[in-house]
Amino acid sequence: MINNLNQYKYINTSNVKMKIQKLKIRILKSQDISENYLRWLNDPEITKFSNNQYKNHSLEKQKKYLNDCLIDSNIDLYGIFYVNKHVGNISINDI
């Protein structure tokens, strides 16, 4: 995919390649659940387009949710990391 970016003249492909190299997506782990994670998860500006905007999250609730996801074979919960900083999540369900 990165090689195909050169076809788009309006994209600075060297910058995109560099950003992609700094991005990692992996299964979320219990040690990823932190105060910083809760801060953005409870931030209405960040979650305004997410179902999470209607919830109040705590460390205990998030650790339970993560554990439930790890046990459930129909859910994969991934953390999105940019330069090793946890910046978001994505889940894949029922596939």
Side-chain angles (χ1 to χ4, degrees), residues 27-63:
I27 294 289
L28 204 60
K29 301 175 185 175
S30 61
Q31 60 262 35
D32 297 320
I33 301 193
S34 66
E35 291 295 333
N36 182 57
Y37 170 85
L38 286 176
R39 212 173 357 269
W40 59 258
L41 192 58
N42 285 316
D43 185 327
E45 183 62 25
I46 292 173
T47 60
K48 67 182 173 185
F49 299 112
S50 165
N51 287 336
N52 285 315
Q53 69 178 310
Y54 306 111
K55 301 175 185 173
N56 185 18
H57 303 280
S58 69
L59 284 172
E60 296 77 28
K61 286 180 188 176
Q62 286 313 110
K63 287 180 180 182

Side-chain angles (χ1 to χ4, degrees), residues 63-76:
K63 287 180 180 182
K64 181 182 179 329
Y65 175 69
L66 173 60
N67 191 54
D68 291 347
C69 289
L70 291 171
I71 292 170
D72 189 336
S73 62
N74 292 316
I75 300 173
D76 288 330

Side-chain angles (χ1 to χ4, degrees), residues 19-29 32 78-89:
K19 287 184 178 185
I20 289 172
Q21 290 172 348
K22 295 178 181 181
L23 186 69
K24 291 186 174 36
I25 299 174
R26 64 167 170 75
I27 294 289
L28 204 60
K29 301 175 185 175
D32 297 320
Y78 295 90
I80 304 167
F81 298 84
Y82 182 72
V83 192
N84 296 319
K85 181 178 179 184
H86 187 192
V87 296
N89 296 331

